[in-house]
Amino acid sequence: MPDGTAISPRTLRRPNLGPSFLLAWRNLAYDRSRFAVTMVGIIFAVVLTAVQVGLFFGFTATTTAVIEHTRADLWIGLTGLRNFEIAMPQLERHRNIVMGVPGIARAEALLVFFSAWRKPEGGNETILVVGFDPNSGLAGPWNLVEGDAADLRLPDAVVVDDINRAKLGVARIGDQVEINQHRARVVGFTHGIRSFTTSPYVFATYRNAINYGYLRDGQANYVIAKLAPGADPETVQQAIRRRMPDVEVMTGDAFARLTERYWMFTTGAGTGILIAAALGLVVGMVIVAQVLYATTVDHMTEFGTLRAMGAPQGFILRIILWQATISAVLGHAIGILIAMAIAHGSRYGTALILVPPGLAVGLFGVTFLMCASASLVSIRKALTIDPAMVFQR
Amino acid sequence: MNGQPAAEAVTVEELGLVYGAGATAVQALTGVALTVRRGEMLALMGPSGSGKTTLLMVMGCLLRPTAGRVRILGRDIGGLDQAAMAAMRLAHVGFVFQSYNLFPALTAVETIRLALELKGWSSATAGEEAVRLLAEVGLADKQHSIPAQLSGGQKQRVAIARALAGAPELILGDEPTAALDWQTGQGIILLLRGLARQDRCAVVVVTHDPRVAELADRIVTIDDGRICNPERMPHAAS
């Protein structure tokens, strides 16, 4: 520096991220106990949030499972319809009216009603009977893991889900029970068909379901319809509404969303789950904020030394953000693996937890934001540090 | 001194510094005039609270004077903002602290490499230079030791190597031997003095210890914010 007034270009060149990352990583790894506490906080937040959101997804999928697996283009129910499970019975002639609408290829009755299941060893359980026409293939059980679907045509035959074996008191094909004081026999087991209402689905042919419900032939909670090739769904819906002003007509997708909204938000069940997820995030953030703050305070002399050496504020900022990023990446990776393991285990439980890749990726963004937000207080403290403090110790 | 004409590294003229304002204001320095040349080692002595560390901080671009002028390598620091002061420190000043102020999680070589990379050195060249500097302070075999694995003297040598990173023209030491036994402290001061002469940098050391001060090229004593003996020479500055 000949004249002592200039600063060399080498000095002014922005330092790369290397040293700030190194210092951040070493600061975290040096105090393993504290790092473990940080990790626990983040992992706790990630697992809690992932499981809660996964439960939300699982419940959402559960509420619409039967609708999604029914190959009907249109669902017709009485006005005031709000969800799949609770639907008033319609007039017998509704199916025939629908059949007469141009653009309809097929229409059939679907029964959905709560009933009483008497276990072979005694005791009752509330069930949700789904009575369908086995000839069309529009509706019915899926994912049959034991038994033959054709056996459902036998008198008194029912199919239940193997998740509910214990709940329904049945262990194997051939077990006999009573539905609404009417004899029923298990002819097959599905896997993974859960009910949001906690009343297990029991699938039966329309004919058998009529008997279980002591209903009149032709009675139905829904008329489900298949459109003729090339028919416009909107035009057909309008035609049905014109002929039957007291019904609601909607596509399967619209009905699924309606049911979803009802169970997840109108009842508050989904809101509760999402609030629990948000609380998980908040609690995790508080833990992480405290630990990151304590870590920053612990290293305040080092930050002061760096500032005294002439390190720009941005360098200190990068160290703290790297600390937050490293914590977020590791915490998220471990947390999401645990959440996925829990989700995997839920396949055999009554509450389904879904952790799709999109949730894992989205949660990383949330985790990073949580860690970055948690480090804001630390950043403020570190950036306002007086470099002269290192001479005053 | 080696007989060459010594350039002025620091020039202080009628320096005054007041901490605080109003009724709580404290006059820390008054009318201080001082010159530190490259290649020399100057010891600042004085009782506690006399203002010697404050003077060191002003010379280190950590405090701005409230009166007078301070020129570091010819540049008046009075008008510099915080960012420019930080840039001056980064480019031209090395610090050695009483408590070493090393980073507990970094090895010796990483500590020095960090200082160099802060100054814009590439990782590769910074690594080579860090190894060279550690060898220069006699710690070639301690490159991969963290501070907890080093003795007090070794820590201070790492701190000196860090202060030397990037060849600053001014090295400031705040009681660099206070935490060390006399023999180790003497070795540290002789190392600093040797570096001043070899690297043609100016070294200013604040100390309470007269034995340390006697090893410097010049001794300046401060009392109550004023310089008492601007030209006192040590008895045996060999």
Side-chain angles (χ1 to χ4, degrees), chain A residues 248-282:
Chain A
E248 296 202 19
V249 189
M250 60 193 93
T251 62
D253 190 50
F255 188 38
R257 301 294 83 78
L258 179 77
T259 300
E260 252 176 40
R261 275 198 303 276
Y262 177 80
W263 289 119
M264 303 317 292
F265 298 108
T266 309
T267 65
T271 309
I273 293 168
L274 290 179
I275 287 173
L279 279 177
L281 267 185
V282 170

Side-chain angles (χ1 to χ4, degrees), chain A residues 71-149:
Chain A
R71 286 179 285 276
D73 295 316
L74 297 178
W75 287 71
I76 298 108
L78 282 186
T79 303
L81 185 63
R82 300 175 75 186
N83 60 72
F84 170 75
E85 284 80 1
I86 305 167
M88 299 296 287
Q90 301 181 47
L91 299 173
E92 289 90 335
R93 62 187 173 85
H94 279 180
R95 175 180 164 274
N96 294 331
I97 296 172
V98 173
M99 274 300 291
V101 173
I104 292 290
R106 181 180 178 83
E108 61 188 52
L110 186 75
L111 284 169
V112 178
F113 59 88
F114 286 95
S115 191
W117 172 285
R118 185 162 179 78
K119 301 178 197 177
E121 305 300 324
N124 292 307
E125 192 67 47
T126 307
I127 57 167
L128 192 57
V129 177
V130 178
F132 63 96
D133 183 347
N135 298 315
S136 67
L138 284 188
W142 66 96
N143 205 18
L144 203 68
V145 291
E146 265 184 67
D148 188 344

